[in-house]
């Protein structure tokens, strides 16, 4: 029985998060206000606690993880590193395939890593309520549980169509004590406006963000939590890669290539950034961000200043973007439907320190089913993107005879996404590649940055 | 950070199952045929492999676990023993509460422990197809994955109303390559008969069993797999208790009381039987089977010979029973809706080596929510029964000041049962205690055993 699972003791839960900014060849491009000037940290203080804002702009390499956060990480961390012997055999590849199983968190994905940290810092600064938005539900579930851990009331604006179609994600959030509101709601001016125009408005992630931010900005006791894109969120996710490095030592191997899905960037950044530090020290590990072909910001977007939201309320961030009003088709990996990529991921991609690949939807589900039939776990549709790219490489190794060490982040399970698998099996899913002219048109609408 | 999770290395996956029959004060009551005479092993050979039939009647204390079964157990075993520090704090109890998390299996419950073993033995004996039935879906999911592991085609008769109302359990089984048939189906004479009488027959577990057994009995290449009740199923589940004993050594504690839900008995037997061996050696650990108040076979049934199924096709087994045609109300812990208890559990209860308690439905969901808000994991409704009884004891300890060590088996997660939580939150669930006269009437219909 060759060893399959590599467990670290709880004492090896990282004591610090790794801040990739410290090792970037160039400082991150500044975030700009509407006047084209870099914005200061206090522009964010209406909706974020100071500790989080400090992390957002920090250049320190190591940021201590507070003990109460580590104690809650103990619920499910360290997560397991698994050698996928059965998948290797099913593919007939000489490659060694490893995955880290972040779906073991009670909320079902890596998102909980940042949710716990955000809830902690808010609690420390006297915040008693937090708002957020959720679409697919992974982030909303995570913040619901995190709020429960620290006695914070969590109010989640859930896109109305998801609220209706994914009742079980909603009941999960309610089980952990959160209030879930169908967005557009009557709770905010943004919601009321939208409903006045169209009482049947099905909602959108952009509108749900607007509602959550509006409520947080308008109340002193309330802050806002975001599940990806921003630097501090990616920072919190680095526990994944940090644990994996120790686990690869246990396994006596080191990855040649690392794959992770990339939407906003927290999944990819979490697993890849700690290995990027090794690249600076001479490692030639290849870090591959995997995005959906239907929303290909890194592989087909422009590197430019753009808004973080669809309606243009946020400051401008330099990013690979398809244009902030780019409307990705309704693919089922809801967590990857974002028009841009985080500033950090974008800049590292621009500087060729990381790679990116886009994969079509049907192929990702095929990979997910292959994985489930070999390794048991049914992956979330987002996670299937990383699996697809890893399997493709494993099959190339089969051709070349190379025994490469391949590693992907299994960011979540698919227990709340079986409707998507159903559609895949019944042939209702299609591939979709955005027409070039639509991308050109969306990019033509990029905001002008004042000089 | 006090230690929370107790992991065993993969090399500590048990090498043998523990057969409680070897330590029972009296041999198990024999299984009787329609003539009242004990039936021989070959009566079972039309639907079970020989290795399983041997286990069914074995009196050996230790039965070796085949290496290929242990290798697949590596997917998720050993499962973690967890000290529930947060639950203790939430209850304000001096008790030490531990749980073993069997929901970590890819199929989501302990059922996979026996499914893997059954699929292996069938494969060894040249069987290429297996049939089974499923209601709630935990067992069907487990056999689907187990069949995939050994290249066995699995055909699952799923009660039609569940097939329609739990589409995600169905897609889970399909993801693992199983064929799922709504029962009653046109595949079997039993199904066709039922549909001829009523084309809208919603199905029942009894009918689904009849279909699965009929198909298995009529084809040489096909056997049947059962998820609970029989001795060999309880045997396979003893990996839970065996691992737990080693993990309690790691924790430096020993349980005073062990709680597990009890329907057919595989969950309770799996965790409790290995500790029963210690009782013989002087331990005074108390083993508590927890059943729903709406289906109280141990606490309100009779100890008598009865059929295992609702229509009277199986041999007669001595058991605590509410009468084989007892129709439990539609409570949501579908896995506990069984009119009887396994022969082994029944006899041990009759001989006062184990205890039993019945808990009402609303109190189980209340306990599940308390647990989820403290420990994160959302438990399956079946598992909530064990949690309820454990919490009740922890609250008694709070009154008495005793620091008892309490242990329950968290047999599964509730990711596919959120509709039940929804109903609980919305006030649609009710408690139901069976009227005494209904039980008396059902017991009056117990089969007469020829002398």
């Amino acid at each position: 029985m060759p060893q399959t699972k590599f467990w670290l003791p709880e004492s090896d839960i990282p004591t610090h998060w790794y801040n990739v900014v410290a090792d970037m060849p160039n400082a991150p491009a500044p975030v700009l206000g509407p006047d084209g000037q870099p914005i200061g940290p206090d522009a964010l203080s209406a909706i974020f606690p100071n500790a989080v804002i400090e992390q957002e702009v920090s250049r320190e390499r190591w940021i201590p993880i507070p003990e109460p956060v580590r104690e809650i990480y103990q619920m499910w961390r360290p997560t397991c590193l698994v050698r996928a012997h059965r998948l290797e055999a099913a593919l007939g590849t000489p490659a060694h395939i490893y995955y880290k199983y972040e779906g073991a968190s009670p909320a079902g994905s890596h998102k909980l890593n940042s949710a716990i940290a955000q809830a902690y810092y808010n609690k420390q600064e006297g915040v008693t309520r937090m708002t957020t938005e959720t679409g697919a539900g992974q982030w909303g579930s995570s913040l619901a549980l995190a709020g429960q851990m620290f006695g914070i009331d969590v109010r989640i604006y859930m896109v109305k169509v998801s609220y209706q179609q994914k009742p079980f994600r909603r009941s999960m959030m309610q089980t952990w004590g959160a209030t879930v509101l169908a967005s557009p709601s009557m709770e905010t001016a943004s919601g009321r406006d939208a409903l006045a125009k169209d009482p049947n408005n099905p909602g959108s992630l952009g509108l749900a963000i607007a509602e959550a931010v509006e409520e947080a900005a308008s109340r002193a006791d309330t802050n806002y939590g975001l599940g990806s894109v921003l630097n501090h969120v990616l920072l919190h996710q680095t526990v994944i890669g940090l644990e994996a490095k120790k686990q690869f030592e246990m396994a006596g191997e080191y990855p040649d290539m690392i794959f992770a899905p990339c939407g906003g960037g927290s999944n990819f950044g979490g697993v890849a950034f700690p290995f990027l530090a090794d690249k600076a020290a001479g490692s030639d590990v290849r870090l591959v961000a995997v995005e959906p072909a239907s929303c290909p910001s890194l592989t087909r977007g422009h590197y430019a200043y753009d808004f973080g939201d669809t309606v243009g309320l946020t400051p401008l961030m330099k990013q690979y973007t398809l244009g902030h009003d780019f409307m990705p088709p309704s693919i089922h990996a809801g967590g990857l439907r974002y028009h841009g990529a985080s500033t950090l991921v974008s800049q590292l991609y621009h500087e060729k320190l990381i790679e990116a690949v886009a994969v079509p939807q049907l192929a990702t589900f095929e990979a997910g089913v292959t994985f489930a039939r070999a390794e048991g776990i049914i992956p979330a549709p987002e996670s299937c993107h990383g699996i697809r790219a890893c399997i493709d490489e494993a099959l190339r190794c089969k051709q070349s005879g190379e025994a490469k060490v391949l590693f992907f982040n299994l960011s979540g399970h698919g227990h709340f996404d079986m409707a998507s698998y159903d559609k895949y099996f019944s042939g209702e899913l299609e591939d979709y590649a955005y027409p070039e002219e639509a991308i050109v048109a969306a990019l033509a609408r990029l905001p002008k940055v004042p000089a």
Side-chain angles (χ1 to χ4, degrees), chain A:
Chain A
M1 290 209 325
Q3 190 171 355
T4 296
K5 305 191 293 304
F6 299 88
W7 288 110
L8 292 171
E10 294 180 328
S11 52
D12 274 342
I13 292 172
T15 56
H16 293 73
W17 291 297
Y18 168 70
N19 183 8
V20 73
V21 172
D23 286 320
M24 285 169 69
N26 298 295
V31 176
L32 304 182
D35 58 356
Q37 296 304 306
I39 63 163
D42 31 315
L44 301 171
S45 64
I47 57 168
F48 292 119
N50 292 324
V52 157
I53 296 171
E54 281 166 29
Q55 291 178 353
E56 191 61 25
V57 296
S58 170
R59 299 191 179 185
E60 292 295 319
R61 181 170 286 107
W62 296 104
I63 312 275
I65 305 180
E67 261 329 86
V69 171
R70 291 185 74 225
E71 279 178 25
I72 295 179
Y73 279 172
Q74 271 184 293
M75 253 188 189
W76 76 101
R77 304 210 71 85
T79 61
C80 198
L81 180 75
V82 185
R83 170 83 184 268
H85 292 292
R86 277 190 187 76
L87 179 61
E88 293 168 18
L91 300 173
T93 180
H96 295 192
I97 301 177
Y98 290 84
Y99 63 90
K100 190 148 168 79
Y101 186 39
E102 290 293 307
S105 93
S109 83
H110 69 294
K111 294 282 184 191
L112 194 55
N113 295 323
S114 183
I116 297 291
Q118 292 186 40
Y120 169 77
Y121 289 120
N122 276 287
K123 183 71 177 183
Q124 284 297 102
E125 299 186 22
V127 169
T128 57
R129 292 166 91 247
M130 286 183 76
T131 61
T132 196
E133 72 287 334
T134 204
Q138 298 272 29
W139 169 246
S141 304
S142 295
L143 197 65
L145 177 54
Q148 177 66 40
M149 290 294 107
F150 290 108
I152 290 177
D153 287 335
V154 175
R155 292 165 56 82
I156 298 161
Y157 288 90
M158 185 171 191
V159 179
K160 189 177 280 176
V161 63
S162 301
Y163 183 93
Q164 289 162 344
Q165 289 177 359
K166 296 190 110 182
F168 300 148
R169 271 285 173 199
R170 169 165 53 79
S171 15
M172 191 177 206
M173 295 183 251
Q174 288 167 336
T175 302
W176 287 320
T179 302
V180 187
L181 305 150
S183 167
S185 76
M186 293 299 285
E187 307 272 320
T188 66
S190 325
R192 288 189 294 270
D193 283 359
L195 289 171
K197 284 181 197 145
D198 176 8
N200 299 316
N201 187 319
S204 70
L205 205 55
L207 186 49
I209 293 174
E211 290 204 86
V213 170
E214 179 187 326
E215 182 178 334
S218 67
R219 291 180 59 129
D221 62 351
T222 305
N223 267 343
Y224 169 75
L226 188 66
S228 191
V229 180
L230 295 182
N231 301 3
H232 68 274
V233 184
L234 276 60
L235 173 78
H236 300 154
Q237 294 296 350
T238 57
V239 288
I240 305 170
L242 292 168
E243 286 178 6
K245 288 174 76 165
K246 283 200 182 181
Q247 288 165 312
F248 271 106
E249 280 175 33
M250 291 171 73
E253 303 225 65
Y254 188 86
D256 293 303
M257 295 179 76
I258 300 178
F259 305 88
C262 195
S266 81
N267 184 334
F268 174 77
V271 69
F273 286 176
F275 287 89
L276 201 79
D278 294 356
K279 267 181 98 107
S283 146
D284 54 1
V285 57
R286 292 171 56 191
L287 309 172
V288 184
V290 188
E291 58 185 15
S294 57
C295 192
S297 50
L298 291 170
T299 53
R300 294 179 69 194
H302 278 200
Y303 187 48
Y305 271 100
D306 199 0
F307 298 110
D309 65 328
T310 49
V311 282
L313 297 174
T314 70
L316 292 163
M317 293 175 284
K318 195 155 187 193
Q319 59 187 297
Y320 276 88
T321 177
L322 294 161
H324 60 278
D325 61 358
F326 176 90
M327 192 50 71
S330 169
I331 63 160
H332 294 279
L336 305 179
R337 292 182 65 204
Y338 184 63
H339 68 273
S342 89
T343 295
L344 296 180
V345 169
S346 294
Q347 183 161 328
L348 291 165
Y349 182 62
H350 187 66
E351 296 181 352
K352 301 198 189 314
L353 288 162
I354 64 171
E355 303 169 43
V357 63
V359 291
Q361 177 170 240
L362 291 178
T364 64
F365 277 97
E366 186 205 20
V369 172
T370 299
F371 180 82
R373 292 185 179 177
E375 298 286 320
I377 298 165
I378 299 179
E382 291 81 4
S383 310
C384 290
H385 288 69
I387 298 175
R388 176 74 265 168
C390 182
I391 287 181
D392 286 344
E393 185 65 29
L395 293 173
R396 279 188 288 272
C397 288
K398 184 178 182 175
Q399 294 300 316
S400 66
E402 289 168 287
K404 282 188 187 170
V405 177
L406 309 179
F407 171 40
F408 66 88
N409 189 29
L410 184 50
S411 50
H413 62 63
H415 298 172
F416 293 87
D417 304 284
M418 296 312 298
S420 305
Y421 278 89
D422 254 1
K423 286 188 183 159
Y424 170 67
F425 286 123
S426 64
E428 285 173 65
L429 290 192
E430 290 180 1
D431 280 336
Y432 186 83
Y434 233 82
E436 187 62 25
E437 56 272 25
I439 292 181
V440 170
L443 290 173
R445 296 190 294 270
L446 280 176
K448 303 275 176 294
V449 178

